[in-house]
Amino acid sequence: MEPRDWRTYLVTQQDRSAGRGTEAVVEAALAGGVDAVQLREKDRSARERYRLGERLRELTGSAAAALIVNDRIDLAAAVDADGVHLGQTDLPIQVAREQLGEGAIVGCSTSTVREAEIAEAAGADYLGVGAVYGTASKDVEAAKDGIGTDRIREIAAAVEIPVVGIGGIDANNAGAVIEAGATGVAVISAITAADDPEAAARRLREVVVDAA
């Protein structure tokens, strides 16, 4: 599935998963219809992430969903992920493309129109734009207060590649992000911390599809 077709995107973070393991949360989220899963887990060792990545590769493959690895190009290659998501201080997009191949999906975190334009010119396949609303779970610029949906609208108008909103998004505000021009939304706590991650993922998808 190509990034333009992604509607809901789960970013893993076990310490925000209400005591549940990441594998269990991902399995439930996939059952609820998420299109892509990003292996984040920055507090784990590379070996632990590798082992988890192997299992998530099996789960996402069975569900025909994309597996994206946060930051680590080498780990993305090691677990045969569909691609990598890079931040503004990570290795350049061109390096990821050289290491993973032309068929790999390369995403980039942005929070301004200029960053978005640079990422698109460098060959990014999609943008993770945020934090849209205030959030404590993602280390991005403006994470405390959020950049707002107006910025989503500006960036979506400035680039041709898909825009995925991230940061403080849940079923109550996801529709506004889509209406502003995002093609999908990425979440952590809205699914991982939910009492029923599968139901939360399903409800989020319904909101996004209805707003599209």
Side-chain angles (χ1 to χ4, degrees):
M1 181 177 287
E2 296 298 318
R4 194 167 296 279
D5 298 320
W6 296 348
R7 298 296 172 259
T8 51
Y9 181 139
L10 172 67
V11 180
T12 73
Q13 191 165 331
Q14 186 161 309
D15 63 6
R16 291 183 175 269
S17 298
R20 293 174 291 239
T22 292
E23 184 178 325
V25 171
V26 168
E27 192 165 13
L30 289 168
V34 298
D35 301 305
V37 174
Q38 183 185 130
L39 173 58
R40 191 168 182 255
E41 308 296 347
K42 288 190 174 184
D43 59 341
R44 295 197 187 191
S45 70
R47 182 167 295 187
E48 288 173 325
R49 276 186 282 175
Y50 169 70
R51 289 172 176 162
L52 178 59
E54 286 189 308
R55 179 56 181 148
L56 297 190
R57 173 71 286 178
E58 294 175 3
L59 292 173
T60 54
S62 296
L67 176 63
I68 305 297
V69 172
N70 180 272
D71 297 346
R72 295 287 299 269
I73 297 170
D74 57 342
L75 183 57
V79 301
D80 193 28
D82 295 290
V84 67
H85 187 90
L86 303 172
Q88 289 295 309
T89 60
D90 293 327
L91 289 172
I93 291 167
Q94 297 93 325
V95 174
R97 186 70 67 201
E98 291 168 3
Q99 295 294 315
L100 299 177
E102 290 300 317
I105 296 170
V106 181
C108 185
S109 293
T110 63
S111 59
T112 68
V113 170
R114 181 58 178 155
E115 287 176 352
E117 291 173 337
I118 291 172
E120 181 179 44
D125 295 298
Y126 75 93
L127 303 175
V129 179
V132 181
Y133 304 109
T135 177
S137 62
K138 192 88 167 79
D139 297 326
V140 296
E141 290 184 27
K144 181 180 178 181
D145 300 317
I147 59 174
T149 54
D150 284 345
R151 186 72 57 78
I152 291 285
R153 186 172 289 107
E154 293 169 0
I155 290 175
V159 299
E160 298 294 330
I161 57 178
V163 168
V164 177
I166 187 169
I169 297 172
D170 57 28
N172 295 315
N173 56 30
V177 180
I178 300 302
E179 290 167 0
T183 54
V185 297
V187 302
I188 300 177
S189 300
I191 291 176
T192 65
D195 291 337
D196 185 337
E198 180 179 342
R202 185 173 292 111
R203 175 58 183 153
L204 183 66
R205 183 178 182 81
E206 289 172 352
V207 169
V208 170
V209 171
D210 286 347

